[in-house]
Amino acid sequence: MLAAAAVCPCPPLLVPEVAAGAAPELDAARTACSDALSVLAAARPDRLVVIGPVQEAGRGAYPAGTPGSFRGFGVDLAVRLGRAGAETASGRDLPPSLAVGAWLLERAGWSDVPVEGLGVEESLAPGRCAEAGREIAARPGRIALLVMGDASACRTLKAPGYLDERAAPFDAEAGRALGAADIAALKALDAGLARELKAAGRAPWQVLAGAAQDAGLSGTLLYEDAPYGVGYVVAAWSQVY
């Protein structure tokens, strides 16, 4: 059963050491991510699954203890998914999105609950995303999700994907749906448009929608902005009592 979920962006710039002198520009986003993770902790889950967008080579499961780093971004900073002493059998390092998730968890001092990762291909069809989410939610015990992913990368002329007039409306609807825990709207996000707008969060968000189908969670939008021309959304979903 899905007990709670946190939605966070996954740019490596979220890590201050990577952002360097620009680090203060994302302080509000980091604070919002911390607030979202506190909602997960309050739900007292039995297991946490970190979901992030990946290229094809990074798809699949990442067991607790899988290492990652930000060396590819010029910083000698290592992270590990879940408990530092856990063994890993994956034979591969965390992809960037899950490495950022691991960094957020370490920053929050998350250590008491088993953690695992799932890399979801950015191109995964909506139906397959929902199916993956339902499979996660069907596991025994109380499950929490940390869902990593960015909105469009086409909000300004200097954005990675240049300016696309469709980006702002797409991000507005995605942000609204994530803030309202609107499962139907998340499932309806256009995968083709998301790909054109370089919105890597689309697939993980639709996994969340599948997992939350029968959970009865309510949502809260904690942050929404587009620094560097990329849409970042932070939201928390929790049970209604």
Side-chain angles (χ1 to χ4, degrees):
M1 176 188 72
L2 183 64
V7 177
C8 295
C10 58
L13 288 173
L14 204 60
V15 178
E17 291 88 341
V18 175
E25 297 176 16
L26 290 180
D27 279 348
R30 294 184 192 96
T31 298
C33 289
S34 295
D35 292 342
L37 286 175
S38 70
V39 172
L40 295 187
R44 299 184 180 277
D46 299 307
R47 178 170 295 276
L48 172 67
V49 181
V50 185
I51 302 172
V54 298
Q55 300 300 315
E56 182 177 0
R59 67 183 178 183
Y62 291 82
T66 302
S69 78
F70 296 95
R71 296 185 185 93
F73 302 94
V75 175
D76 188 15
L77 175 65
V79 294
R80 187 175 293 273
L81 188 64
R83 295 172 181 168
E87 294 295 329
T88 175
S90 70
R92 53 182 180 167
D93 288 350
L94 294 172
S97 64
L98 296 184
V100 174
W103 177 81
L104 286 173
L105 292 173
E106 290 185 5
R107 183 171 181 259
W110 190 285
S111 61
D112 296 333
V113 177
V115 179
E116 63 186 83
L118 177 64
V120 180
E121 278 187 84
E122 295 180 24
S123 60
L124 192 65
R128 295 285 301 279
C129 291
E131 181 182 355
R134 289 191 295 270
E135 291 175 356
I136 293 171
R139 298 179 185 180
R142 293 172 60 80
I143 307 296
L145 298 182
L146 173 54
V147 184
M148 310 299 295
D150 302 338
S152 75
C154 302
R155 291 284 292 272
T156 66
L157 293 174
K158 294 184 178 180
Y162 197 64
L163 176 64
D164 190 314
E165 62 183 12
R166 301 171 297 174
F170 178 92
D171 287 0
E173 173 58 11
R176 185 204 65 77
L178 290 168
D182 188 335
I183 294 170
L186 288 175
K187 288 184 174 181
L189 290 175
D190 188 308
L193 177 59
R195 182 176 60 254
E196 293 174 10
L197 297 176
K198 304 184 184 301
R202 189 275 308 171
W205 299 338
Q206 290 182 326
V207 174
L208 167 60
Q213 184 64 56
D214 301 312
L217 304 183
S218 64
T220 302
L221 185 64
L222 300 174
Y223 177 89
E224 184 178 18
D225 203 353
Y228 317 117
V230 181
Y232 297 152
V233 178
V234 180
W237 293 19
S238 59
Q239 291 180 324
V240 179
Y241 295 99

